[in-house]
Amino acid sequence: MRRANSLAALLLVALAAGCAAPEPARLHFGVEDAPEGKRVMWPAEPEVPRYLFAGQLLGESNFKRDKTATDTVGGFLRWFAGVLAGDAPPVELQRPQSGAVGDDGRVYVTDTSRQAVFVFDAARGRLDLWEKAEGLASFASPVAIALEADGRAYVTDAELGIVARLAADGTPGRAIGRGQLRRPTGLALDRARGELYVTDTYAHDVKVFDREGRLARTLGRRGEDAGEFNYPTHLAFADGRLYVTDTMNSRVQVLDGATGRALTAFGARGLFVGNLVRPKGVAVDSERNVYVVESYYDHLLVFDREGRFLMSIGGVGANTGRFYLPAGVWTDRRDRVFVADMFNGRVALFQLLGGGADGEQ
């Protein structure tokens, strides 16, 4: 009783001192603290580096608040709440699958273990967690996400067999594809045409929906020929081209987005770095480099626009630049490359050097 009275007295003193609104927390990627000469780059010297390690996303721990005098009361109140209720564990990524970056800079990450979409909002200095897929139904296995210019989101859920439609604040609407999709995984959006591409892994095809959720057409069937698939997973869309990770055929196929016509394919099974055994995520940057996650070998592979292998980052492990069963990959307008390092419970960031300088912060 005496301890409770003492705590209450401290609280009254703090409140009497006035409570200035704290500054928003800053999204901190962790690499900022590394000395300039200690930054990790690829490829290693003496070759000219093309990628810089730019940090990682883990969860709430990425948001740092400056310790200023104006936040003294806020810090006290947080401490006081912790004394009364106990410190809640921070919200952290568990098994990140894939993601996207919005036009406003928000970073979205799907997490199948947490059954949610993590939204890293740098402008507001906070992490949001979107857990509802449709109505009161929660996500079961969210895999891929695609974004409209206004922040509306589409999310595939492999277990629910739907593409969730979410407002910019995460409010769920009516889902797409219920009863038409067996196991939706990859997702890509052609904003200009208003078409949503969805890999239906168990059906071995890519289904195309319009913005109203109507099935417009189906691309491919099971097989090994051009335009056929064997358990396709992830997707990317750039310059009218649809990149399909044809996972069990150990290749990436490139289709004309408008017609579905097969244009080219690259990748082959093998034992060497650069070969594809279990390719997963695929993405394209502003220089039209193509990134492919080779999950079996725990590598991020870089190809040129013609599908020629350029270089790799990775290898199994938990150190910087290493992965443990990576899944998705995506890029943003600044040519940062994000890799969902699934079993390390993190998203690794790499900056393409010399590209994507559009002035965006």
Side-chain angles (χ1 to χ4, degrees), residues 186-253:
L187 196 59
L189 175 65
D190 180 352
R191 289 181 180 176
R193 294 174 58 87
E195 292 188 325
L196 191 67
Y197 300 89
V198 184
T199 45
D200 195 349
T201 299
Y202 283 179
H204 310 283
D205 60 29
V206 177
K207 292 182 169 66
V208 187
F209 296 86
D210 64 20
R211 279 194 172 100
E212 302 304 316
R214 294 183 292 257
L215 179 62
R217 60 190 186 280
T218 299
L219 310 179
R221 60 182 181 182
R222 189 170 194 178
E224 298 180 354
D225 292 337
E228 297 179 341
F229 308 109
N230 191 13
Y231 292 98
T233 53
H234 292 257
L235 294 172
F237 184 85
D239 295 331
R241 292 186 165 198
L242 183 68
Y243 296 78
V244 185
T245 304
D246 191 5
T247 299
M248 297 304 288
N249 279 330
S250 301
R251 64 186 179 183
V252 173
Q253 292 203 65

Side-chain angles (χ1 to χ4, degrees), residues 60-133:
E60 282 186 332
S61 59
N62 285 102
F63 290 92
K64 306 293 184 182
R65 193 179 301 277
D66 293 332
K67 297 184 181 302
T68 62
T70 60
D71 194 28
T72 301
V73 176
F76 176 84
L77 292 175
R78 286 189 292 273
W79 170 82
F80 186 77
V83 170
L84 295 182
D87 290 328
V91 177
E92 302 289 286
L93 292 168
Q94 296 177 6
R95 294 289 183 265
Q97 272 287 321
S98 190
V101 179
D103 292 6
D104 60 359
R106 291 197 293 181
V107 183
Y108 303 74
V109 182
T110 61
D111 191 309
T112 54
S113 178
R114 187 59 180 79
Q115 298 176 308
V117 177
F118 286 65
V119 184
F120 294 82
D121 193 333
R124 298 172 64 195
R126 56 180 289 175
L127 174 68
D128 291 322
L129 206 62
W130 294 353
E131 298 177 289
K132 298 300 181 183

Side-chain angles (χ1 to χ4, degrees), residues 128-317:
D128 291 322
L129 206 62
W130 294 353
E131 298 177 289
K132 298 300 181 183
E134 185 179 25
L136 298 178
S138 299
F139 283 109
S141 183
V143 178
I145 184 169
L147 304 168
E148 297 277 10
D150 61 4
R152 287 176 295 149
Y154 305 92
V155 182
T156 54
D157 192 299
E159 293 298 325
L160 297 180
I162 61 170
V163 178
R165 287 195 283 194
L166 308 176
D169 64 356
T171 302
R174 176 176 291 183
I176 294 172
R178 188 178 299 279
Q180 298 170 303
L181 295 165
R182 295 177 59 187
R183 188 173 180 82
T185 51
L187 196 59
L189 175 65
D190 180 352
R191 289 181 180 176
R193 294 174 58 87
E195 292 188 325
L196 191 67
Y197 300 89
V198 184
T199 45
D200 195 349
T201 299
Y202 283 179
H204 310 283
D205 60 29
V206 177
K207 292 182 169 66
V208 187
F209 296 86
D210 64 20
R211 279 194 172 100
E212 302 304 316
R214 294 183 292 257
L215 179 62
R217 60 190 186 280
T218 299
L219 310 179
R221 60 182 181 182
R222 189 170 194 178
E224 298 180 354
D225 292 337
E228 297 179 341
F229 308 109
N230 191 13
Y231 292 98
T233 53
H234 292 257
L235 294 172
F237 184 85
D239 295 331
R241 292 186 165 198
L242 183 68
Y243 296 78
V244 185
T245 304
D246 191 5
T247 299
M248 297 304 288
N249 279 330
S250 301
R251 64 186 179 183
V252 173
Q253 292 203 65
V254 185
L255 311 182
D256 181 277
T259 66
R261 180 172 59 91
L263 301 176
T264 187
F266 61 90
R269 294 182 180 91
L271 301 176
F272 302 100
V273 174
N275 293 142
L276 299 180
V277 179
R278 291 292 183 272
K280 292 291 182 65
V282 60
V284 183
D285 67 20
S286 70
E287 296 185 3
R288 298 306 172 254
N289 297 306
V290 183
Y291 302 92
V292 181
V293 169
E294 171 43 59
S295 63
Y296 188 86
Y297 287 137
D298 300 290
H299 274 85
L300 175 67
L301 306 179
V302 187
F303 298 84
D304 68 13
R305 69 185 68 197
E306 305 301 326
R308 294 182 291 248
F309 175 62
L310 299 178
M311 60 171 290
S312 69
I313 298 173
V316 65

